[in-house]
Amino acid sequence: MAFFSFKRVPLAWLNLTHDRKKFATSLGGVAFAVLLMFVFTGFMNALYDSQVQVLNRLNGEVIVINRLKNNMFVPRSFARRRLYQVRAFDGVADAYPLYISDGNWKNPETKKSFAVRTLAFNLGDPVLDMPEVNEQISALQLPNTALIDTRARAEIGPTDAGIVSELAERELKIVGTFELGTDFAAGNGNLIMSDINFLRYFANRGPEEVNRSFATADVGVVKLTADASPEKVVTALQQALPNDVLVLTKEGPNGFVNRERTYWQENTSIGFVFTLLTTMSFFVGIILVYQILYTDVADHWAEYATLKAMGYSNLYLLGVVLQESIFLSVLGFIPGCIISYLLYTGAANATGLFFQMTSERVVNLFLATFVMCLVSGAIAVRKVQATDPAEVFGG
Amino acid sequence: MVSPAAEISTTPFAPELAIKIEHLNFYFGEGELKKQVLFDISLDLPQGQIVILTGPSGSGKTTLLTLIGALRTLKEGSLQVLGQEVVGLSNRALIPIRRNIGFIFQAHNLFESLTASQNVEMSVELTSHLSDKQQRAADMLSKLGLGDRIHYKPNALSGGQKQRVAIARAMVNHPKIILADEPTAALDKASGRDVVNLMRHLCETEGTTVLMVTHDNRILDVADRIINLVDGRLESDSNPETYKQSH
């Protein structure tokens, strides 16, 4: 017997869609479970992805940092002269300091202050691999100017060129914008300025703050010559330089970017919490779909038993229930995915976090949905198998 | 074998027999709870006969019907359906036997989501006639006077019409045997009569054997033969006239 022949009466489909209202509710249930899974994995990935956004934009193959800076949140800097030492090594084309400091930015509209992160560098150094920033370098040469992150959180106010407000209680003029987004270390958003302007804001902040100077840098970005191997340079640098600095490749499994991601994965409960929530949504989905399928089998108990009496095998009925579960998984996934996409966009705008719906993640969640429906189908099928055709008689 | 009617057909095995039962015993439950419901039943049903099985509640008549329908596994005695021994067969081996039998239930048991035609087609799909299944379904529905209701869903049909769709489903593959369990119980007098007459007409033209369990005294006259079952034993086996006189 061919169970999926197109000539057959599509019993699974007709049973599922017969009651439009019930069908819509069923799809809503599946879509809701899909939505939950998307939201939870979305937040988890957004939190991780966001942490490494700045690191990914660093224009170098090797990174030098203070050994104590085990994540971007630690405000430890290292002696800038280490970068001069680095420049002397074979394979190193150049080494640029990046200065990072937190400062309070005053929302020009509400006059309330919010912590933002300032990234600063010598305007002659191509420290960031961000074309939109590099195009606006000349504007940053003026005193008290900066670029602002358009994906900063809404609290810090409008993010447009021309705005004048205060950073660390000094006037600052916004001369342009860029797109980056927030992470844990960034606070509410990012500013980019020249190293000279950086000193204007952070060199003399008073007794309770760290006073910055050009003697220390936060991240050293090392540009290699085209033929140099990052791993070999890292080994050579680490051996020669004092132990106050740590030298890492930027990419790779032990690289700077991965180290940051791993830090947040291992030292926060983000992963645990969101994986737990995703798993719970998965099981909620199983229960929902099981209820739908079980109700269908229970409602049509006598009809299914009649089919058995007519000579249909358990295998056919199993096929009907599994087909129903497949229809539910596919048709419930589509609205769930679309609503999730809208929600991702909304959440990205509201939080400045980096919500990515990559095709890989969509496929993974579709597979999860599919498995979810199959598991429910497999449980519901037991009810059909237990159906005794002899019981339809009389009773 | 005591009844005179049965004696007529007591040949060793005649091919014209649709059902041949010899010394059949059947039990419900296991171990301590084991309870015998059918005692030493022996019965021959020739092809083309319309037989009504009657008796008080709990007499085992529905059980006998499900046994003949190959819906339960059997261990004792002999039960041949269309020449094939059913006793000793596993659940899986019973499935192909069911396909030679048409079942009609007290409730119509039609899928609400399928049209009359599709409900009947579900039956045709058990055979290899997939390509002309719609034609077959339509023909059978027309014979039952539902030619203009082929694409109606059960919701839009009356009780009698639904039962006629169920009959069409049972008969569309031209089974040699029809088993019916109180087919008129849910119907009013006129539609009940209507349904039985149609069944009788179709079975006569196709030579189908019908075994019908019923309490409905109004339809006894359609039968060629009435078998009375009491407490799991064959009590009497007669024609409708004799039966009416004695009851």
Side-chain angles (χ1 to χ4, degrees):
Chain A
M1 241 196 287
F3 293 110
F4 299 101
S5 163
F6 288 107
K7 283 182 183 166
R8 294 189 166 275
V9 173
L11 183 61
W13 175 253
L14 293 172
N15 270 354
L16 203 58
T17 53
H18 172 60
D19 186 341
R20 294 286 157 85
K21 230 187 231 168
K22 211 164 113 190
F23 181 54
T25 319
S26 305
L27 287 189
V30 178
F32 183 66
V34 170
L35 180 71
L36 285 179
M37 289 199 286
F38 260 114
V39 166
F40 294 138
T41 54
F43 268 101
M44 182 172 75
N45 288 322
L47 288 173
Y48 291 146
D49 290 347
S50 300
Q51 299 318 311
V52 297
Q53 276 199 95
V54 170
L55 313 195
N56 275 327
R57 311 284 172 93
L58 296 176
N59 181 31
E61 291 80 21
V62 171
I63 303 295
V64 180
I65 48 168
N66 187 316
R67 185 166 288 278
L68 297 175
K69 190 180 180 73
N70 60 6
N71 67 74
M72 290 297 281
F73 206 67
V74 178
R76 291 280 179 172
S77 48
F78 65 96
R80 188 162 68 117
R81 63 178 181 275
R82 299 277 174 256
L83 292 178
Y84 291 115
Q85 292 172 284
V86 167
R87 283 183 185 153
F89 281 79
D90 275 351
V92 175
D94 210 342
Y96 324 117
L98 173 67
Y99 307 96
I100 302 173
S101 181
D102 289 333
N104 281 335
W105 164 259
K106 188 177 272 180
N107 179 331
E109 286 175 349
T110 65
K111 309 295 180 197
K112 281 185 182 160
S113 290
F114 296 94
V116 297
R117 177 172 61 186
T118 305
L119 306 168
F121 49 86
N122 184 325
L123 295 181
D125 295 344
V127 175
L128 294 177
D129 185 14
M130 294 171 74
E132 48 184 346
V133 171
N134 296 334
E135 281 163 17
Q136 304 177 71
I137 287 293
S138 56
L140 289 176
Q141 286 168 338
L142 296 171
N144 302 331
T145 56
L147 306 179
I148 196 163
D149 184 356
T150 51
R151 297 196 55 230
R153 296 183 54 181
E155 281 88 339
I156 74 163
T159 52
D160 304 308
I163 284 168
V164 179
S165 187
E166 283 175 26
L167 174 68
E169 288 152 26
R170 280 175 72 102
E171 191 176 275
L172 178 70
K173 185 171 196 282
I174 300 300
V175 292
T177 60
F178 62 95
E179 231 181 273
L180 190 63
T182 63
D183 57 59
F184 288 149
N188 299 295
N190 295 287
L191 294 172
I192 289 178
M193 58 173 62
S194 70
D195 54 351
I196 309 285
N197 276 326
F198 184 76
L199 283 191
R200 288 197 170 97
Y201 289 91
F202 300 109
N204 297 297
R205 296 180 75 190
E208 281 158 30
E209 304 278 348
V210 182
N211 289 326
R212 298 300 304 268
S213 74
F214 286 158
T216 59
D218 291 272
V219 176
V221 181
V222 181
K223 189 81 192 154
L224 301 185
T225 53
D227 55 341
S229 143
E231 285 76 19
K232 280 184 186 156
V233 174
V234 165
T235 317
L237 286 176
Q238 194 63 75
Q239 268 177 355
L241 291 178
N243 265 338
D244 59 344
V245 290
L246 181 66
V247 186
L248 295 162
T249 55
K250 186 182 138 196
E251 309 293 341
N254 296 315
F256 185 49
V257 173
N258 247 344
R259 192 186 75 132
E260 184 74 14
R261 180 184 280 270
T262 311
Y263 174 83
W264 295 106
Q265 282 172 350
E266 288 178 357
N267 291 278
T268 62
S269 12
I270 298 170
F272 174 76
V273 169
F274 284 105
T275 310
L276 182 74
L277 289 172
T278 310
T279 317
M280 276 168 59
S281 340
F282 180 79
F283 283 106
V284 166
I286 289 186
I287 294 165
L288 273 173
V289 178
Y290 172 72
Q291 286 286 348
I292 296 164
L293 296 176
Y294 182 90
T295 314
D296 173 64
V297 175
D299 286 353
H300 301 115
W301 171 81
E303 288 94 314
Y304 282 125
T306 304
L307 288 185
K308 274 191 171 185
M310 281 157 58
Y312 276 98
S313 61
N314 269 331
L315 202 63
Y316 173 83
L317 299 182
L318 201 137
V320 170
V321 174
L322 288 186
Q323 281 178 60
E324 287 189 10
S325 71
I326 290 167
F327 288 139
L328 282 175
S329 72
V330 174
L331 295 177
F333 185 79
I334 295 168
C337 189
I338 293 171
I339 299 169
S340 303
Y341 181 79
L342 299 176
L343 213 73
Y344 272 27
T345 316
N349 289 338
T351 61
L353 288 170
F354 192 41
F355 280 86
Q356 289 187 103
M357 196 181 264
T358 63
S359 51
E360 186 197 343
R361 287 170 186 169
V362 172
V363 169
N364 281 343
L365 277 186
F366 175 70
L367 289 179
T369 312
F370 191 69
V371 171
M372 178 178 95
C373 291
L374 278 190
V375 170
S376 320
I379 307 172
V381 149
R382 296 190 317 176
K383 170 79 181 166
V384 183
Q385 283 178 321
T387 306
D388 182 357
E391 283 174 27
V392 228
F393 279 96
Chain B
M1 202 58 58
V2 280
S3 57
E7 258 169 31
I8 301 161
S9 53
T10 311
T11 40
F13 182 80
E16 66 269 16
L17 279 186
I19 297 159
K20 184 175 174 65
I21 306 175
E22 284 175 326
H23 307 295
L24 185 75
N25 289 310
F26 185 74
Y27 310 85
F28 276 130
E30 292 288 326
E32 294 277 306
L33 296 170
K34 195 165 171 177
K35 181 174 176 287
Q36 187 162 5
V37 289
L38 291 177
F39 298 86
D40 194 33
I41 305 279
S42 292
L43 189 63
D44 287 349
L45 298 186
Q47 281 187 15
Q49 207 170 43
I50 296 184
V51 182
I52 282 183
L53 191 57
T54 182
S57 300
S59 58
K61 50 191 193 308
T62 299
T63 308
L64 183 59
L65 204 66
T66 59
L67 292 176
I68 296 170
L71 299 179
R72 298 182 194 276
T73 52
L74 268 168
K75 294 192 187 77
E76 274 180 41
S78 166
L79 166 62
Q80 291 179 23
V81 176
L82 300 169
Q84 190 169 4
E85 182 58 59
V86 173
V87 174
L89 290 186
S90 68
N91 264 320
R92 186 179 292 271
L94 290 175
I95 294 175
I97 295 179
R98 293 176 196 162
R99 297 192 185 153
N100 300 318
I101 301 170
F103 291 96
I104 299 164
F105 304 95
Q106 184 172 343
H108 51 81
N109 293 344
L110 299 174
F111 279 99
E112 294 289 336
S113 59
L114 306 186
T115 62
S117 172
Q118 284 171 324
N119 266 299
V120 178
E121 286 167 37
M122 286 302 293
S123 195
V124 187
E125 287 178 10
L126 283 163
T127 66
S128 51
H129 304 292
L130 277 184
S131 47
D132 62 340
K133 59 171 185 167
Q134 282 170 342
Q135 190 54 47
R136 282 166 185 265
D139 288 349
M140 187 48 73
L141 285 166
S142 304
K143 280 186 196 171
L144 285 153
L146 293 169
D148 55 342
R149 296 281 189 277
I150 288 174
H151 298 297
Y152 283 46
K153 288 196 173 169
N155 275 341
L157 298 174
S158 71
Q161 288 170 330
K162 284 186 228 184
Q163 195 58 295
R164 278 188 274 160
V165 176
I167 293 170
R169 176 172 65 180
M171 300 198 61
V172 68
N173 290 336
H174 309 288
K176 289 276 175 289
I177 301 173
I178 295 271
L179 300 176
D181 184 35
E182 309 260 14
T184 59
L187 303 178
D188 59 60
K189 190 179 176 185
S191 21
R193 189 74 233 172
D194 219 21
V195 161
V196 203
N197 284 345
L198 273 167
M199 267 174 77
R200 169 151 194 112
H201 173 70
L202 281 174
C203 293
E204 272 174 353
T205 45
E206 303 206 358
T208 316
T209 310
V210 180
L211 184 59
M212 194 189 313
V213 165
T214 188
H215 279 116
D216 192 346
N217 287 327
R218 302 170 300 194
I219 58 167
L220 291 179
D221 58 300
V222 298
D224 298 322
R225 182 177 168 193
I226 295 180
I227 295 167
N228 194 18
L229 206 63
V230 176
D231 292 337
R233 292 184 172 85
L234 280 184
E235 182 83 4
S236 71
D237 189 345
S238 52
N239 61 36
E241 286 72 35
T242 354
Y243 181 82
K244 272 186 180 164
Q245 285 160 14
S246 59
H247 283 74

